[in-house]
Amino acid sequence: MSDTNLVYAYAVLRRTPEAAAAAAHLRGVAGEPIHLVDPAVTSPPLAFAVGHVPPADYDDAPLQAHLDDLDWLESTVRAHHAVVAALVASGAAVLPLRLATVYRDEDTARQALDTRRGYFLSLLDRLTGHVELGVKIYAAPDITPPGSDTDPEHDPVTGLGVGRAYQVIRRRRQRRNEEAWRTVAQAAARLTETAGTLAVDRVTHTPERGSLAGTAPGTNIGNDAYLVPKDRVTAFRTGILTAAQGVPGLRVEITGPWAPYSFALQPEPHEETAA
């Protein structure tokens, strides 16, 4: 393992005086100062926003160990995002890079930037003037997906034996649940169609389950990211919330605007890291 600090790349951006000034005031995942690294080809101006990080934490083996440490991972994600968000706030067109995109040194980073220059520029052209909005759709806590077990304890049936009554209650509750689920699923589909008319692109993420779902009530049945023009953010929010109104059992959560993480295809991390 090298004793020389590695280069951690946060984002690709068009170099502007405002972006350079913003970077100069930032600190990164290791508390390191952030600066811009320019490639050999300087027209049109393109740069990596980078910081120097210790190999004791960011070389391959220690990094893999850190990724199993949820506290470390959360802190690193927050610091990474803070750098990207500050660059976006400067007005720069920014392609956020994958967490822990690390290069051996600045020359290697410049080479990667030169090699993928056309690709990065085309993505910047596409994403400039757009932001990412997240839309999570939830079914109410008492509406469960078909096939889930139900509890008949509070749905009494009289005049039947205990075993027969239990089966009747289960079927009755299952029918009610399935009807409620169909209503929510149909409303969610309509909401997704509405979002598609207001955005220019969509990325479908896996619905959150277990600890990933946090404390939000209900079952997460939709977890999508939308690429939305900056001047259409308010219309997008209004359209989605209006589409969700009046649907029993449906709840919608809209997050952002964010830098377009879901729409920026990033280089593989450690592809140029020293062994």
Side-chain angles (χ1 to χ4, degrees):
M1 183 184 299
S2 170
D3 292 329
T4 303
N5 281 347
L6 304 172
V7 173
Y8 186 117
Y10 293 85
V12 182
L13 67 160
R14 296 186 189 275
R15 174 185 269 280
T16 64
E18 293 78 12
H25 293 90
L26 299 178
R27 291 293 184 270
V29 294
E32 83 285 5
I34 305 302
H35 64 282
L36 303 186
V37 168
D38 301 299
V41 180
T42 58
S43 181
L46 197 64
F48 269 148
V50 307
H52 288 257
V53 295
D57 285 320
Y58 289 92
D59 218 339
D60 285 328
L63 179 61
Q64 288 304 313
H66 279 315
L67 293 178
D68 292 328
D69 180 342
L70 293 183
D71 290 336
W72 184 93
L73 185 59
E74 180 179 2
S75 174
T76 302
V77 168
R78 289 182 181 277
H80 180 105
H81 174 67
V83 171
V84 173
L87 294 170
V88 171
S90 75
V94 174
L95 290 178
L97 294 176
R98 189 199 310 255
L99 187 74
T101 297
V102 180
Y103 296 96
R104 182 173 60 249
D105 51 38
E106 290 195 2
D107 286 340
T108 306
R110 288 188 181 93
Q111 182 180 358
L113 195 53
D114 278 331
T115 299
R116 309 192 76 191
R117 181 178 186 80
Y119 173 73
F120 287 140
L121 286 170
S122 67
L123 272 179
L124 281 169
D125 286 342
R126 176 173 179 262
L127 299 181
T128 295
H130 295 75
V131 295
E132 178 175 327
L133 292 172
V135 177
K136 295 182 181 180
I137 305 174
Y138 295 88
D142 57 345
I143 299 177
T144 56
S148 298
D149 198 12
T150 55
D151 177 13
E153 181 179 348
H154 303 294
D155 197 354
V157 172
T158 58
L160 297 175
V162 173
R164 178 72 184 281
Y166 183 88
Q167 295 300 321
V168 169
I169 292 168
R170 282 181 61 89
R171 286 195 296 269
R172 182 185 298 170
R173 289 175 62 86
Q174 184 176 359
R175 282 196 301 270
R176 288 203 301 260
N177 182 79
E178 288 176 350
E179 290 171 2
W181 183 266
R182 279 194 297 271
T183 298
V184 169
Q186 291 167 359
R190 291 194 300 271
L191 189 150
T192 300
E193 290 178 4
T194 298
T197 66
L198 297 168
V200 299
D201 201 358
R202 169 191 174 203
V203 171
T204 301
H205 297 300
T206 302
E208 295 177 340
R209 296 287 187 268
S211 61
L212 292 177
T215 59
T219 302
N220 183 207
I221 61 174
N223 181 23
D224 297 342
Y226 292 89
L227 187 65
V228 181
K230 289 181 179 179
D231 61 2
R232 212 183 293 169
V233 169
T234 300
F236 183 91
R237 289 182 182 277
T238 301
I240 296 303
L241 294 176
T242 299
Q245 282 180 348
V247 180
L250 183 73
R251 185 173 66 84
V252 176
E253 179 182 307
I254 302 174
T255 60
W258 315 109
Y261 285 97
S262 298
F263 303 91
L265 301 179
Q266 305 96 357
E268 292 296 324
H270 293 276
E271 58 186 1
E272 299 292 350
T273 302

